[in-house]
Amino acid sequence: MNLNIARQPLLWFAFLAGFAIPVSTAMQNISAGVLVLFAIFTPEIRQHIANALRQPLIQACLLMYSLFVLGVFWTDASINDALGMLLKMRAYLLAPLFFAVCTLAPVRQYLLTGFGLGAVITLVLSIGSGLSGTPIIQGAIGDYSVFRTHTYHSTFVSFLACGIAAYWMAGRLPKQWRWPAAITIALCIFDVFFMVKGRTAQVLLLLLLGLLVVLWQGRRGFFIALIAAAVMGPLLYLGSSSLRTGMSTVQSDVQSYDKGDIDTSVGLRLFFHKVAKDLIKEAPVLGHGTGSYKQNYLKNAGDSEVRRSFANPHNDYLWLGVELGIVGMLSLVLVLLATAKQAWNTISAERWLGLVLMCSYGISTLANSFFTDNITGLAYVLLACALLAGTSFQRKVSL
């Protein structure tokens, strides 16, 4: 396939791959699959796969996936569950191809632009449905997420706010776009705190914006972030019933858990974590094998219908610990560290956003399964490649 001939279709599928992240799982999988085909069948892209394999992020992704492959040999799960897990984690196997495609500057631009547009549409629809009191698609009264459930929705809207702020701070936002940018950031904060549920995302958005200020201004930024937190924190807490309710629910759920009532939002997570830790103790080094979490969890879940309906520990460190032991947990940490290392060597806006992406996932996955989930796992690999591939090659590549 000649790159000149494939140029426009490649760019449009890159745009769709980014656009689909906050909008559509089917579109996300299809467009990402087409990008893989471009990487395989386009010689000008294929020649960069070898260079991609030398990148820390890609090596860490492949190492983690390789452990899942090896875990098939000692798993106590069915072959269907083991293969299902390998399929679920395919984004990490395909990471070199995504990275090679993203060495083309227009591909990176189109993918990130697509993500931004998809997130803006999601944001506008969420606020519109919230103000009208009319939930649409995934939404419900009091939780006006749209195309994704609130966990994904708030994560992607938060990353949109951080992305706009990062390019502004780096001086790469045209003057005529600054007012629209400021309004969009404000709407993102409003949406996460007032329109959509999600305690983790609410706290994390403030932390990530504060991190951006610190990365931008250093020591002075740290004090600016502290002052902003001191002002914004109480205002958001007093103004957002969603935040107040969420904090009150956490306290109530913990008290209920201590009294033996497990079937609450926080109580279930604490139960999942306890079961996962017990399972890790049974096979601490190499775990129970690929795809083994579900059946091992069900052995310990008891008779509660609510508890047995979940086969997800809501914590990826623990999930990998159950299936691949301490070695698996360390491989996930290595993915995060490799992202940080590679981000540190890029230019300012991409550097900051790479670190924000790493922190966002590294913290969020303490209470959610972001890396082992198809939607967010694929999103991480695509966004990381789009942000970090630009300065990873000495020879400039362009269309």
Side-chain angles (χ1 to χ4, degrees):
M1 186 187 302
N2 185 277
L3 184 57
N4 291 328
I5 297 174
R7 180 183 189 278
Q8 202 57 46
L10 172 59
L11 295 181
W12 279 115
F13 276 105
F15 177 87
L16 287 176
F19 181 84
I21 289 173
V23 172
S24 168
T25 304
M27 187 191 303
Q28 188 180 15
N29 289 330
I30 292 170
S31 55
V34 174
L35 292 183
V36 167
L37 294 178
F38 274 109
I40 293 172
F41 293 107
T42 307
E44 292 90 340
I45 297 175
R46 191 170 61 239
Q47 67 180 334
H48 296 294
I49 295 175
N51 283 329
L53 292 171
R54 290 194 284 267
Q55 306 306 315
L57 171 63
I58 304 307
Q59 292 173 346
C61 288
L62 291 176
L63 173 62
M64 185 168 70
Y65 191 84
S66 297
L67 291 174
F68 277 103
V69 173
L70 292 174
V72 173
F73 292 99
W74 64 80
T75 187
D76 52 17
S78 69
I79 188 63
N80 286 337
D81 286 342
L83 293 178
M85 191 64 183
L86 290 179
L87 181 63
K88 193 175 185 181
M89 301 294 287
R90 63 190 178 278
Y92 305 99
L93 173 65
L94 299 173
L97 303 180
F98 293 135
F99 199 93
V101 170
C102 286
T103 58
L104 306 176
V107 170
R108 298 194 301 275
Q109 294 164 3
Y110 270 66
L111 196 152
L112 293 174
T113 300
F115 171 81
L117 180 60
V120 166
I121 291 174
T122 299
L123 173 67
V124 171
L125 290 176
S126 175
I127 293 176
S129 64
L131 293 178
S132 66
T134 307
I136 57 177
I137 311 179
Q138 298 281 358
I141 296 295
D143 183 6
Y144 298 97
S145 55
V146 183
F147 302 106
R148 307 292 196 187
T149 56
H150 67 265
T151 302
Y152 304 124
H153 176 106
S154 296
T155 297
F156 297 140
V157 167
S158 297
F159 194 69
L160 171 67
C162 291
I164 295 172
Y167 281 100
W168 191 344
M169 292 172 179
R172 292 167 59 184
L173 199 67
K175 287 185 178 180
Q176 64 269 26
W177 284 99
R178 291 180 182 176
W179 272 111
I183 293 170
T184 303
I185 293 172
L187 290 176
C188 288
I189 296 173
F190 177 75
D191 186 53
V192 170
F193 279 91
F194 295 91
M195 295 289 106
V196 181
K197 290 181 180 179
R199 297 177 293 265
T200 303
Q202 290 171 342
V203 174
L204 198 55
L205 175 55
L206 294 182
L207 289 176
L208 294 177
L209 289 173
L211 173 62
L212 273 177
V213 174
V214 173
L215 291 171
W216 174 41
Q217 290 290 320
R219 184 179 299 179
R220 183 171 64 174
F222 177 76
F223 290 106
I224 293 173
L226 282 181
I227 294 171
V231 174
M232 292 293 295
L235 289 177
L236 289 171
Y237 181 80
L238 294 173
S240 172
S241 61
S242 173
L243 179 59
R244 292 197 306 275
T245 301
M247 298 295 287
S248 176
T249 300
V250 170
Q251 184 178 9
S252 175
D253 287 359
V254 170
Q255 292 174 350
S256 296
Y257 181 81
D258 291 337
K259 295 176 182 178
D261 181 9
I262 294 173
D263 296 333
T264 62
S265 177
V266 176
L268 283 171
R269 278 180 165 80
L270 293 174
F271 177 74
F272 300 152
H273 295 175
K274 177 182 180 300
V275 171
K277 291 174 184 176
D278 290 340
L279 291 172
I280 292 172
K281 291 176 183 178
E282 294 176 7
V285 180
L286 296 177
H288 296 269
T290 301
S292 63
Y293 175 80
K294 181 178 179 179
Q295 71 175 47
N296 282 289
Y297 166 75
L298 291 176
K299 292 177 184 177
N300 295 270
D303 297 326
S304 169
E305 184 177 345
V306 174
R307 288 174 231 162
R308 294 186 70 83
S309 65
F310 290 93
N312 184 324
H314 289 69
N315 182 314
D316 272 334
Y317 302 106
L318 295 179
W319 191 328
L320 268 70
V322 171
E323 297 202 357
L324 301 174
I326 295 173
V327 175
M329 298 171 74
L330 290 175
S331 73
L332 178 54
V333 173
L334 187 61
V335 169
L336 294 170
L337 293 177
T339 304
K341 177 182 178 181
Q342 203 152 340
W344 199 254
N345 293 324
T346 63
I347 56 178
S348 56
E350 284 78 7
R351 179 195 311 139
W352 301 336
L353 283 178
L355 293 171
V356 163
L357 181 67
M358 181 272 292
C359 290
S360 174
Y361 269 64
I363 296 172
S364 292
T365 207
L366 288 166
N368 302 284
S369 297
F370 271 22
F371 286 95
T372 54
D373 182 273
N374 177 54
I375 296 171
T376 41
L378 179 55
Y380 185 88
V381 175
L382 286 173
L383 290 173
C385 288
L387 290 169
L388 306 180
T391 56
S392 298
F393 295 87
Q394 293 182 355
R395 187 160 68 90
K396 300 297 181 181
V397 183
S398 61
L399 284 177

